[in-house]
């Protein structure tokens, strides 16, 4: 296998840290991933050597920064296999990307129009649609998940109708790890006459995405889970969709002309990038994407799958432990509950062993109520994690189970 985890780890300076005098085991990657040197250095270099505002300047630094910013857009285009950079909008995160679409299509929503979404969505892909329910009279239709956590395509079929305006669906659940059959889901939604938005915040780092092959109308992702910085994300939209979408925020850059009684808008992507964009962050994201794409992504996938297999097997040996989500082909996310133990207590005990996991509702309350829990613990793995770290995690977890149950 051409994957050298030691060489990868050396590129992430934070991984040498100690926590409570123990080597850091960072298993909170689904919340946010750590950053390689290339991202940290690229961002520092921009600010140190060639920084100015983008698009508006006629001087060297402005031109250099604009070029770097637009190269990052090209990196995102390549990552998603979009047709053109005009389909790539920089946003401040995955959340904003989804809100741009919700606010935009909201302008044409009539009372009774339907938005279809699954019960395993993150709040970022729920709350914007609730806004349309509250403000426009849209109806939310929920697609169920099967006991193993996979998307119930029969439930999807039942929820789609002539009234469906949009299917808003995760490309990978941040709790169950499920990677739904989005290709079939998109096909079904299109057959019903609806557009599809995929929330790719988790998927983009774990799955090779091809928006053209999927025929997705919109695709949203965030930079900080992709080894990039916070404060930046991407909204992909098919050119025709973005052309038809009204602007989100008003300000500089998103206009063509402004007079006392009239405005005309810039074309996409700039129509959706009002004001000074996250310049340094977008360039950092471009570096993260370039770095990830230069790695052997198939080998990374196998590495993460091996970690998942090892962890799943070991967790099954812990008394009273339930894993939430066992769908075939799931991503490297392990949400679990231990009978009698509160997830927050588990996370705190693990922290004393240097192991960082997450506990809570994971911004997925409809899914929590479907699972019949108010919170879970969650370990999630990245390409820099190792088999030895899983051993440390499992040992610490066994101790926590004994202390709490
Ligand atoms: C599936 C999913 N969608 C959306 C988001 C929101 O991303 P951000 O908070 O970066 O906007 C997250 C982040 O946790 C996520 O896991």
């Amino acid at each position: 296998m051409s994957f050298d985890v030691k060489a990868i780890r050396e590129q992430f300076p934070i991984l040498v840290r100690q926590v409570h005098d123990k080597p850091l085991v960072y298993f909170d990657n689904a919340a946010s991933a750590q950053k390689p040197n290339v991202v940290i250095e690229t961002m520092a270099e921009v600010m140190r050597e060639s920084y100015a505002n983008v698009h508006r300047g006629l001087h060297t630094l402005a031109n250099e920064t604009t070029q770097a910013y637009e190269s990052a857009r090209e990196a995102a285009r390549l990552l998603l296999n979009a047709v053109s950079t005009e389909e790539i909008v920089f946003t401040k995160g995955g959340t904003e990307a989804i809100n741009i679409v919700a606010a935009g299509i909201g302008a044409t929503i009539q009372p009774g129009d339907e938005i279809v979404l699954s019960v395993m969505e993150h709040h970022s892909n729920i709350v914007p649609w609730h806004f349309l329910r509250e403000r426009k009279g849209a109806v939310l239709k929920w697609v169920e998940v099967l006991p193993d956590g996979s998307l119930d395509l029969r439930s999807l079929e039942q929820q789609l109708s002539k009234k469906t305006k949009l299917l808003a669906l995760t490309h990978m659940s941040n709790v169950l790890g499920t990677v739904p059959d989005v290709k079939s889901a998109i096909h079904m939604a299109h057959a019903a006459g609806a557009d599809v938005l995929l929330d790719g915040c988790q998927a983009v780092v774990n799955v090779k995405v091809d928006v053209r092959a999927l025929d997705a109308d919109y695709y949203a992702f965030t930079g900080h889970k992709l080894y990039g910085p916070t404060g930046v994300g991407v909204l992909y939209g098919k050119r025709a969709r973005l052309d038809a979408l009204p602007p989100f925020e008003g300000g500089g850059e998103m206009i063509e002309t402004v007079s006392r009684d009239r405005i005309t808008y810039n074309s996409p992507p700039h129509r959706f990038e009002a004001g000074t964009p996250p310049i340094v962050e977008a360039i950092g994201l471009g570096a993260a994407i370039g770095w990830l794409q230069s790695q052997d992504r198939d080998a990374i996938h196998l590495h993460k799958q091996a970690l998942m297999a090892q962890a799943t097997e070991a967790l099954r040996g812990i008394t009273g432990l339930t894993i939430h989500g066992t769908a075939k082909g799931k991503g490297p996310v392990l949400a679990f509950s231990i009978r009698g133990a509160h997830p927050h207590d588990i996370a705190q005990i693990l922290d004393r062993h240097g192991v960082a996991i997450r506990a809570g509702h994971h911004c997925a309350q409809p899914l929590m109520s479907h699972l019949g829990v108010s919170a879970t613990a969650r370990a999630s793995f990245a390409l820099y994690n190792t088999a030895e770290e899983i051993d440390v995690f499992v040992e610490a977890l066994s101790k926590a189970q004994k202390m709490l149950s």
Side-chain angles (χ1 to χ4, degrees):
M1 202 164 83
S2 62
F3 184 69
D4 180 354
V5 71
K6 188 165 170 286
I8 293 280
R9 287 181 70 81
E10 282 165 5
Q11 298 178 58
F12 287 80
I14 206 169
L15 296 180
V16 300
R17 251 202 79 150
Q18 305 266 312
V19 170
H20 299 302
D21 297 327
K22 304 269 175 24
L24 167 69
V25 173
Y26 187 77
F27 282 174
D28 195 17
N29 296 286
S32 205
Q34 300 299 346
K35 322 301 172 199
N37 280 322
V38 64
V39 170
I40 299 165
E41 278 155 21
T42 298
M43 294 174 74
E45 202 176 291
V46 172
M47 290 185 281
R48 217 185 282 123
E49 288 171 29
S50 182
Y51 175 78
N53 210 331
V54 289
H55 296 140
R56 279 163 248 179
L58 284 172
H59 59 82
T60 302
L61 292 188
N63 290 338
E64 283 175 7
T65 313
T66 302
Q67 201 177 6
Y69 180 74
E70 291 303 326
S71 299
R73 202 189 300 278
E74 170 62 9
R77 183 196 72 76
L78 280 170
L79 181 75
L80 300 182
N81 194 30
V83 174
S84 133
T85 48
E86 290 164 355
E87 298 175 320
I88 302 293
V89 178
F90 281 125
T91 66
K92 74 176 163 67
T95 301
E96 188 180 71
I98 297 170
N99 275 276
I100 289 173
V101 178
I105 70 164
T108 58
I109 289 284
Q110 302 294 321
D113 283 349
E114 294 174 359
I115 307 290
V116 175
L117 58 167
S118 86
V119 298
M120 65 178 143
E121 300 310 313
H122 186 281
H123 293 166
S124 295
N125 199 24
I126 297 176
V127 180
W129 313 114
H130 266 301
F131 286 172
L132 298 191
R133 180 188 60 73
E134 284 182 341
R135 297 169 190 173
K136 295 282 182 170
V139 176
L140 305 189
K141 306 282 272 188
W142 296 90
V143 180
E144 300 299 329
V145 295
L146 295 168
D148 68 351
S150 53
L151 185 77
D152 184 349
L153 287 177
R154 275 203 301 196
S155 167
L156 172 61
E157 188 73 66
Q158 283 159 3
Q159 299 297 32
L160 290 166
S161 79
K162 286 204 190 80
K163 291 187 197 157
T164 311
K165 289 291 166 224
L166 187 92
L167 166 65
L169 182 63
T170 186
H171 195 185
M172 187 182 137
S173 161
N174 65 314
V175 179
L176 304 171
T178 307
V179 180
D181 178 359
V182 288
K183 187 135 191 171
S184 299
I186 290 172
H187 188 74
M188 288 159 69
H190 284 171
D195 284 346
V196 180
L197 175 143
L198 291 183
D199 172 0
C201 288
Q202 295 292 334
V204 82
V205 64
N206 291 301
V207 177
K208 282 193 212 156
V209 180
D210 183 337
V211 287
R212 267 190 272 180
L214 289 173
D215 200 21
D217 299 285
Y218 304 101
Y219 197 96
F221 74 87
T222 201
H224 65 94
K225 299 181 205 275
L226 191 70
Y227 313 112
T230 52
V232 65
V234 164
L235 170 65
Y236 158 82
K238 282 180 184 163
R239 179 64 206 249
R241 298 290 176 280
L242 293 185
D243 274 340
L245 215 59
F248 181 58
E249 284 190 323
E253 195 65 27
M254 50 74 71
I255 51 83
E256 198 179 49
T257 61
V258 181
S259 66
R260 289 191 183 204
D261 47 18
R262 194 164 176 269
I263 42 173
T264 56
Y265 301 122
N266 209 338
S267 10
H270 306 295
R271 184 191 300 164
F272 305 102
E273 295 181 1
T276 299
I279 300 168
V280 179
E281 292 80 358
I283 295 169
L285 174 59
I289 294 172
W291 177 81
L292 184 63
Q293 294 286 70
S294 72
Q295 309 294 322
D296 181 343
R297 290 200 69 182
D298 293 327
I300 293 171
H301 182 68
L302 289 176
H303 173 70
K304 287 190 283 196
Q305 274 193 327
L307 295 177
M308 274 296 281
Q310 181 193 347
T312 306
E313 179 65 25
L315 258 54
R316 289 209 171 109
I318 294 181
T319 314
L321 189 145
T322 307
I323 294 174
H324 302 291
T326 53
K328 205 162 157 266
K330 69 176 277 188
V333 177
L334 261 178
F336 58 91
S337 305
I338 297 181
R339 203 185 318 116
H342 195 283
H344 287 155
D345 295 334
I346 298 172
Q348 267 173 10
I349 292 172
L350 291 195
D351 182 56
R352 302 305 299 182
H353 293 266
V355 182
I357 65 159
R358 186 143 293 246
H361 56 58
H362 315 295
C363 299
Q365 286 183 340
L367 179 64
M368 293 296 115
S369 82
H370 166 84
L371 296 172
V373 295
S374 57
T376 79
R378 180 186 73 185
S380 50
F381 311 125
L383 81 178
Y384 41 66
N385 291 129
T386 66
E388 294 73 33
E389 288 181 317
I390 304 262
D391 291 339
V392 173
F393 161 62
V394 173
E395 205 184 311
L397 196 56
S398 301
K399 285 185 185 148
Q401 186 271 330
K402 289 192 182 86
M403 280 170 73
L404 296 169
S405 310

